[in-house]
Amino acid sequence: MELGCAMAGSAAAPPGPGPPAAAGAGLADSEEYESLPSGVALGTHMVAGAVAGIMEHTIMYPVDSVKTRMQSLQPDPKAQYRGVYEALKRMVQTEGFWRPLRGIDVTVLGAGPAHALYFACYEKMKKSLSDVFQPGGNSHLANGIAGSVATLLHDAVMNPAEVVKQRLQMFNSPYTSVLGCVRTVHRTEGLGAFYRSYTTQLTMNVPFQAIHFITYELMQEHLNPHRQYQPQSHIVAGAVAGAVAAAATTPLDVCKTLLNTQENTALSSLKIRGHLSGMANAFSTVYQLGGLPGFFKGVQARVIYQMPSTAIAWSVYEFFKYVLTKRALEKRS
């Protein structure tokens, strides 16, 4: 959810137990789309999550490419940008119309299954934990824990795709294709290179998703207290949740980008030999090269990317869940 997933850098899901929904939107009084009929819940969550994740990552992908470049600690003079629009414009003018989309194919391959597992795990755990922490109610603690655990599964699938994607996005990248990048990285750095940033990604995504889910649920309580299908409330709540979570976790995202890209110029300037690994080393390197401001490189692009991404992911996820559940209920009746 970057969802956002974020989608992704992700997305999320609505609460199971909660205040009884008002009848309407074509669903029976006793079966609201939030709770889902028992026989189709897992498949519904996985299909809706996969579609939402793919759309989240692809629609805003050019901005994600800009974010990766703006997080460079020692960028090439030709890749120093003042803003997102200027960066996109220069990328298209100097590197070709399709350059901002390089790596989108591997993102699609990773986002589909990653988000399917993510949403299914979140919904299942949220309902079970809410029954424990706050029977008959909506527990924010349950939402946060469920989102964090779901992230473990999501990142295990998405991390290799992130490594390949970000290496393709960098300025003057030596890689021109997904397969070529995978082969080269595997041959020169080993299989572990695809998970070098996994712990850092988890360290970033666990608080990101906890903040994201809790903010989304809080917004929904005010905008959509009856938990009906209301696209406008899902869009607004998703955008706000994505922006807050993205800004708060930008320092960790900068470290993740450094570990994924192994930026040669930056590492050479500090006379670091071999490959940089570990979150502590990444933090130290970022601080040495950029000081405290270095941890917030690309924050503007990250927030601009995450707001619409999470809004898209939530609205698409809720729409597909509503449609699939409605269809299942019609078949049962």
Side-chain angles (χ1 to χ4, degrees), residues 97-138:
F97 181 79
W98 299 107
R99 185 61 181 90
L101 294 177
R102 185 182 293 178
I104 194 172
D105 43 357
V106 73
T107 300
V108 170
L109 289 174
H115 280 72
L117 290 172
Y118 176 84
F119 277 95
C121 176
Y122 173 71
E123 288 284 358
K124 183 70 175 177
M125 283 202 65
K126 180 184 67 174
K127 188 176 187 309
S128 299
L129 292 174
S130 287
D131 290 340
V132 173
F133 295 134
Q134 193 174 336
N138 177 33

Side-chain angles (χ1 to χ4, degrees), residues 263-320:
E263 190 181 342
N264 289 329
T265 304
L267 299 184
S268 298
S269 67
L270 294 179
K271 298 180 180 179
I272 296 176
R273 296 180 179 180
H275 305 294
L276 185 70
S277 62
M279 185 173 63
N281 290 330
F283 262 94
S284 175
T285 302
V286 171
Y287 184 74
Q288 288 180 66
L289 291 172
L292 289 178
F295 289 103
F296 289 91
K297 276 180 164 287
V299 64
Q300 178 194 38
R302 180 165 162 78
V303 171
I304 290 174
Y305 166 77
Q306 205 65 53
M307 284 186 71
S309 291
T310 48
I312 290 166
W314 272 105
S315 56
V316 172
Y317 175 70
E318 298 286 1
F319 171 75
F320 271 87

